[in-house]
Amino acid sequence: MRLRRWAIILPLLCAFLVSCSPNSNDRPGRKHTITIAGSTSVMPFTEKLAEHFVVDHKNFIIDVQGGGSTAGIQAVINNTVDLGMSSRELKEGEKTLNTITICHDGIVVVVHPENPVTEMGLDQVRQIFSGRISNWSQLGWKDRKIDAVSREEGSGTRSAFEDLVMKGKEINDATMVQDSNGSVKEVVATDPYAIGYISMGLVDKKVKPVAIDGVNPSIKTIKSGRYKIVRPFLYITNGELEPKARQFVDYILSKEGQTILKNEGLVGFYD
Amino acid sequence: MRINPRIINRLVRMGLNVQAFFTVGILIIIVAIIFFKGFPHMSFAFIFSFPEDMGREGGIFPSIVGTIQLALLSILFATPLGLGTAIFLTEYTRESLFTKLIRFGVESLAGIPSILYGLFGFIFFVIKLKMGWSLLAGVLTMTIMILPTIIRTSEEAIRAVPRQLRIVSYSLSASKWETIKKVVLPAAMPGILTGIMLSIGRAVGETAAIIFTMGSSLRLPLSVMDSGRTMAVHFYILAREGISMEKAYGTAVVLVLSILLINILAYYIMNKAIARYS
Amino acid sequence: MIDRTVFKERFVKWVLVAFALSSLLFLFLIFLFILAEGLPLFLKVGVKNIIFGFKWAPTKGYFGIFPMIISSFLVTIGALVIGAPMGLSCAIYLSEYSGKKMKMFLKPALELLAGIPSVVFGFLGVIYIVPLVRNYLGGSGFSLISTSLVLGVMILPTIISISFDALVSVPKTYREGSAAMGATKWQTIYKVIIPSAKSGILASFILGMGRAIGETMAVIMIAGNALKIPGSILDPLRTLTGNIALELAYATGDHRLGLFSTGVVLMVIIMILNYIANFGIKRKIAK
């Protein structure tokens, strides 16, 4: 009786353990794994590209992780990943690494769809986030406190926003903080009095983009250079790329890859 | 004026009655919201298909597999350790400074919030031991987290085994370990199982400690060194990033339903055990 | 043959000792690694500048977490204000008033509440509590009061189960004695049972505080995570746990060390709370 029970449990257990065993690379079929980590702004687009890529390249596994731009760059330096993703330019001390610009992304200031404010000056955005403008009446709407939402310290989007918009002014301590583009968008989508900034690729009808200094954020205005809050999406490598990872990068830079990025609302190299 | 104590008594009784049902009401409301909103999005295909478009479309199969792997492997590590500790504390020593120290350790582990387990797992397993964000790092962190639950419930279960059983076993010239193995543990088994079930429930519902050790890769973990996503983490990301409310509710149903079933099973086993000895 | 048995017994015993020591080893490792990562920054920046510093901008060299310490205590107290009376009255109802059948239904139901994952609480808080607060009380809704409400519910199971145990362990003779003096049930509870279960009830509150102060995922979803000390119950705030969870994934260098310093402070607070609670419980048992 005892034995019979084990006869059932043991094989199940073995099967389970085998399924969890290391070295999935050495299995027949020889799957090749490319590991990518870094910016959570770039991550969703990399995941999307990877989804499309593996359809035609069945022997590839692409492991995409978040972690943030800085962590991604660190991971490249330590050689723990093949590719790092960054949504900000490299800083001093990181310049020895190679960068591949995969596309550009606009940072869009967004408000709730019910908010009648459609346009602001760049300096007004700065004053909102530094706390000098704190009421919607100062922008011609009702007398109600502005619920500003920012990103957390260390985020590539925040760092780019600080460089491009804040220009040395500090983001006010009373500003709410969320830890991803998506969660900033969710707060703005649910709170009629909120204002935040997110990657242009994520703007949809749940939030309303605000024109800055009279320029609507769009792929067109970014390409023409009129919309100024733009940052590159970078892949970071340490030295030469190994051939398999190169294949993935080439795919992204190809017309097909760039079209996918364009459909996601990013600014690619083709039109 | 002095109000009749009997009237106060009756009022209090009513108030407490309302209060208790209000509290249970919260549980019922939570479960009801999740079920009503989520059931329309839950289907066979949702459970057994892969997510597409970051989880906006498709199902949650990899996160279900990830959850099962995490829970079962953690139990596999934690049960021998926890049960061993419980046996040692109950059968092999008297109360001494040493047992006090161990109990202090267990109590302290139980009190540490999950985010600190996350910090520890991140720095120790992920970075110092170079495991990276992986199933293994998640499992080891989870093992330590559930250890106190297993130790406490097993200890209680073993203590509840009547002394007579042991005495009979010894009188048949069984050794101490034989007695434990053949007499005490089988008798304490329901209580031990309860602890294991509760621990599985904890592993299934945990987020803070897992997200920093196991990562959040959406694909099916094929080896212990792969990163993966449990249902709780998947739900967190879907809901927080606003990727898809329908899929988030669908995931929540599967998540809450499995935890409720696991916990109900745990209490059922425990009640049966209590009925047996009282 | 006998030697083999003796040998086996010894072997088993030492294996069990090793297992029992594992908990202590893990605790030691957790302390060691969090302290090893968290303490250097205290030495570098100064304890005062971290614990009493007002400004948190780790990429620019500011590591003040004073507002988060205050905020953590504020949400915890808020949670207690909501959870303690509810939890205690549930426990009293369960131990003194409810019939056996009722108890069979209520107690497991309340324990199931403990099993609901914190992300689910956070999610429902964002969907239902936050808009409610925004529409009827004002502010963005991501606030001290929303967080306290949700945490208050989350700590209920802890408070109920521990104070229930304390109430039940009051000897039956106390109740009979009081009833014999002609006291009503409520007078007995109020004058006799609660005072004698006092330390256990207090312990349940303190452990509930520990749970609230350590809660993470629900809090970062609801609290709004602003760095400032909230000026009103409608203002957003960031707790110690929220700080770690928000930024850990991104942090490198001193920034990461700063988050471990936050962890050290959290750990010290939790250890103190647990020590007080355990001490309280022990005194009760000794009595």
Side-chain angles (χ1 to χ4, degrees):
Chain A
M1 184 57 214
R2 263 259 150 110
L3 224 117
R4 206 181 305 158
R5 200 186 320 159
W6 279 107
I8 300 167
I9 295 172
L10 266 181
L12 277 177
L13 206 66
C14 289
F16 176 71
L17 286 178
V18 166
S19 81
C20 305
S21 70
N23 300 329
S24 56
N25 287 349
D26 298 344
R27 251 182 268 173
R30 288 201 155 265
K31 293 260 186 183
H32 193 88
T33 308
I34 302 173
T35 49
I36 307 176
S39 163
T40 44
S41 302
V42 189
M43 184 172 83
F45 307 110
T46 305
E47 276 178 350
K48 188 102 201 183
L49 289 162
E51 264 176 39
H52 284 266
F53 181 71
V54 294
V55 172
D56 294 331
H57 302 77
K58 295 236 184 290
N59 54 339
F60 278 81
I61 291 175
I62 297 178
D63 195 358
V64 187
Q65 298 274 347
S69 300
T70 312
I73 293 166
Q74 282 298 319
V76 174
I77 293 172
N78 302 336
N79 283 320
T80 46
V81 295
D82 298 308
L83 285 167
M85 301 176 282
S86 173
S87 54
R88 61 164 173 82
E89 303 276 6
L90 294 184
K91 291 178 183 162
E92 287 305 321
E94 299 166 350
K95 292 273 169 74
T96 52
L97 302 171
N98 297 330
T99 61
I100 303 162
T101 306
I102 61 162
C103 62
H104 284 88
D105 175 40
I107 296 177
V108 180
V109 176
V110 289
V111 294
H112 193 268
E114 282 170 22
N115 191 325
V117 178
T118 54
E119 194 203 311
M120 282 173 203
L122 192 64
D123 53 328
Q124 282 178 314
V125 178
R126 187 182 313 133
Q127 283 168 352
I128 290 172
F129 281 91
S130 66
R132 297 217 18 222
I133 296 179
S134 60
N135 198 300
W136 282 111
S137 64
Q138 288 165 282
L139 295 163
W141 193 28
K142 60 171 108 164
D143 177 23
R144 172 65 164 71
K145 205 174 123 289
I146 298 176
D147 302 330
V149 195
S150 178
R151 289 290 304 281
E152 79 288 5
E153 187 86 16
S155 129
T157 312
R158 176 177 174 134
S159 158
F161 185 80
E162 281 176 342
D163 290 344
L164 299 165
V165 179
M166 299 312 287
K167 297 186 176 152
K169 280 265 180 306
E170 270 178 26
I171 293 178
N172 186 0
D173 270 358
T175 310
M176 285 194 274
V177 174
Q178 299 292 325
D179 61 356
S180 67
N181 274 300
S183 43
V184 171
K185 187 173 102 181
E186 271 308 292
V187 171
V188 175
T190 49
D191 179 356
Y193 309 101
I195 183 168
Y197 55 90
I198 62 174
S199 162
M200 193 165 84
L202 282 171
V203 174
D204 59 23
K205 57 183 186 310
K206 284 164 100 176
V207 291
K208 191 175 79 172
V210 175
I212 304 294
D213 289 328
V215 183
N216 266 314
S218 72
I219 291 180
K220 226 166 122 191
T221 51
I222 288 176
K223 285 222 149 164
S224 68
R226 286 173 59 221
Y227 190 80
K228 303 275 195 245
I229 318 176
V230 181
R231 40 97 184 251
F233 276 179
L234 303 172
Y235 274 10
I236 314 286
T237 65
N238 197 352
E240 275 301 301
L241 254 187
E242 52 103 35
K244 295 286 182 185
R246 181 87 244 167
Q247 232 177 309
F248 180 57
V249 171
D250 286 342
Y251 171 79
I252 293 175
L253 298 176
S254 74
K255 197 146 195 165
E256 195 185 341
Q258 292 289 310
T259 312
I260 294 168
L261 290 174
K262 191 184 160 195
N263 292 339
E264 291 292 311
L266 295 172
V267 187
F269 299 111
Y270 300 89
D271 264 310
Chain B
M1 194 190 91
R2 202 163 169 274
I3 306 167
N4 187 341
R6 274 167 210 282
I7 295 172
I8 298 181
N9 190 36
R10 200 171 282 175
L11 283 176
V12 167
R13 194 196 171 103
M14 238 160 64
L16 289 178
N17 214 328
V18 170
Q19 169 62 47
F21 281 94
F22 179 71
T23 311
V24 176
I26 294 174
L27 173 77
I28 294 171
I29 288 170
I30 290 173
V31 174
I33 289 174
I34 295 290
F35 275 43
F36 278 114
K37 295 262 188 174
F39 256 125
H41 309 293
M42 203 184 75
S43 64
F44 191 75
F46 180 67
I47 292 174
F48 288 102
S49 64
F50 282 77
E52 287 156 33
D53 199 6
M54 294 169 272
R56 202 166 282 134
E57 298 295 326
I60 54 167
F61 183 64
S63 68
I64 293 179
V65 174
T67 309
I68 295 172
Q69 284 172 327
L70 175 78
L72 290 191
L73 286 175
S74 315
I75 288 298
L76 208 64
F77 287 133
T79 306
L81 279 179
L83 194 53
T85 307
I87 294 171
F88 176 77
L89 285 175
T90 48
E91 305 286 317
Y92 279 84
T93 73
R94 295 220 178 86
E95 287 301 312
S96 65
L97 195 67
F98 184 60
T99 57
K100 266 189 195 146
L101 202 63
I102 289 172
R103 264 180 238 280
F104 167 78
V106 176
E107 290 298 323
S108 303
L109 279 183
I112 292 177
S114 55
I115 185 70
L116 287 182
Y117 280 103
L119 265 184
F120 165 72
F122 177 70
I123 198 70
F124 186 62
F125 297 123
V126 175
I127 293 183
K128 293 279 183 304
L129 296 184
K130 296 196 184 341
M131 291 180 192
W133 282 314
S134 60
L135 182 57
L136 186 61
V139 164
L140 294 176
T141 309
M142 206 64 223
T143 302
I144 305 176
M145 270 184 86
I146 58 180
L147 200 52
T149 313
I150 296 200
I151 294 174
R152 280 174 173 176
T153 44
S154 308
E155 202 189 330
E156 266 175 46
I158 293 171
R159 273 191 204 288
V161 174
R163 256 176 66 108
Q164 293 93 307
L165 285 183
R166 295 186 177 94
I167 293 169
V168 169
S169 172
Y170 287 138
S171 71
L172 294 171
S173 82
S175 74
K176 191 159 195 171
W177 178 240
E178 280 171 338
T179 305
I180 292 168
K181 204 168 63 175
K182 302 234 170 86
V183 179
V184 178
L185 284 188
M189 199 42 91
I192 296 167
L193 276 177
T194 302
I196 291 177
M197 299 304 286
L198 290 176
S199 304
I200 293 178
R202 177 130 192 235
V204 171
E206 181 53 43
T207 329
I210 293 306
I211 207 164
F212 295 119
T213 51
M214 196 166 146
S216 56
S217 168
L218 239 186
R219 67 194 182 82
L220 200 64
L222 294 174
S223 95
V224 285
M225 299 318 287
D226 283 352
S227 162
R229 207 184 256 198
T230 64
M231 273 191 283
V233 172
H234 188 56
F235 167 69
Y236 172 73
I237 291 173
L238 287 182
R240 186 155 166 75
E241 316 259 306
I243 291 171
S244 161
M245 281 301 148
E246 291 91 52
K247 299 293 172 191
Y249 274 117
T251 314
V253 171
V254 183
L255 178 66
V256 171
L257 195 65
S258 42
I259 289 177
L260 285 184
L261 286 181
I262 291 165
N263 283 351
I264 289 171
L265 191 62
Y267 292 121
Y268 175 75
I269 296 170
M270 190 167 69
N271 280 342
K272 272 199 114 170
I274 290 171
R276 196 160 81 185
Y277 286 121
S278 57
Chain C
M1 191 59 210
I2 287 182
D3 279 352
R4 251 186 82 185
T5 319
V6 172
F7 175 75
K8 199 175 164 193
E9 285 294 315
R10 285 218 181 120
F11 176 74
V12 166
K13 181 166 179 181
W14 286 113
V15 168
L16 292 179
V17 170
F19 280 6
L21 281 172
S22 68
S23 303
L24 276 177
L25 173 76
F26 292 143
L27 186 68
F28 174 72
L29 282 177
I30 291 172
F31 273 144
L32 183 72
F33 276 88
I34 292 183
L35 290 177
E37 292 291 308
L39 286 185
L41 200 72
F42 280 103
L43 300 176
K44 192 171 152 191
V45 186
V47 175
K48 199 179 129 232
N49 289 335
I50 294 180
I51 294 183
F52 295 109
F54 274 87
K55 187 169 169 183
W56 172 263
T59 52
K60 298 173 192 78
Y62 297 96
F63 297 93
I65 58 169
F66 184 69
M68 300 166 207
I69 298 175
I70 298 296
S71 298
S72 275
F73 276 106
L74 285 175
V75 284
T76 304
I77 291 163
L80 214 52
V81 166
I82 289 153
M86 276 176 83
L88 182 57
S89 45
C90 270
I92 293 174
Y93 180 79
L94 278 176
S95 77
E96 309 299 323
Y97 285 101
S98 73
K100 205 171 176 201
K101 265 194 183 153
M102 214 60 241
K103 210 179 293 183
M104 287 285 279
F105 162 72
L106 281 177
K107 197 140 193 291
L110 292 170
E111 270 155 8
L112 285 181
L113 197 61
I116 306 261
S118 61
V119 276
V120 172
F121 279 106
F123 175 65
L124 295 177
V126 170
I127 301 275
Y128 295 98
I129 308 285
V130 166
L132 215 65
V133 170
R134 175 165 58 232
N135 294 337
Y136 292 98
L137 299 173
S140 64
F142 296 91
S143 58
L144 173 55
I145 187 161
S146 317
T147 316
S148 299
L149 268 170
V150 173
L151 282 182
V153 173
M154 290 180 76
I155 62 173
L156 279 177
T158 310
I159 293 184
I160 293 173
S161 76
I162 296 170
S163 42
F164 174 79
D165 288 345
L167 291 168
V168 167
S169 68
V170 173
K172 217 174 178 177
T173 46
Y174 286 27
R175 293 184 174 84
E176 285 160 357
S178 174
M181 308 269 287
T184 63
K185 195 154 195 174
W186 174 241
Q187 283 170 329
T188 306
I189 293 168
Y190 187 70
K191 295 256 170 67
V192 179
I193 297 175
I194 292 182
S196 39
K198 198 173 63 189
S199 57
I201 292 170
L202 273 178
S204 83
F205 292 172
I206 290 163
L207 288 175
M209 277 178 79
R211 171 111 207 257
I213 218 165
E215 178 49 48
T216 313
M217 295 329 250
V219 171
I220 60 172
M221 291 169 95
I222 308 169
N225 309 315
L227 284 165
K228 225 175 115 190
I229 297 176
S232 85
I233 54 168
L234 300 176
D235 281 351
L237 78 174
R238 185 186 300 193
T239 63
L240 292 165
T241 54
N243 195 40
I244 299 171
L246 278 173
E247 298 187 359
L248 181 62
Y250 275 86
T252 47
D254 277 0
H255 186 184
R256 187 200 278 163
L257 297 185
L259 298 176
F260 277 90
S261 303
T262 313
V264 170
V265 173
L266 179 65
M267 196 158 73
V268 169
I269 295 173
I270 296 274
M271 290 313 279
I272 292 172
L273 286 177
N274 283 346
Y275 180 77
I276 296 173
N278 285 338
F279 185 70
I281 292 172
K282 283 211 186 79
R283 232 183 31 176
K284 185 200 80 190
I285 290 167
K287 205 158 71 177

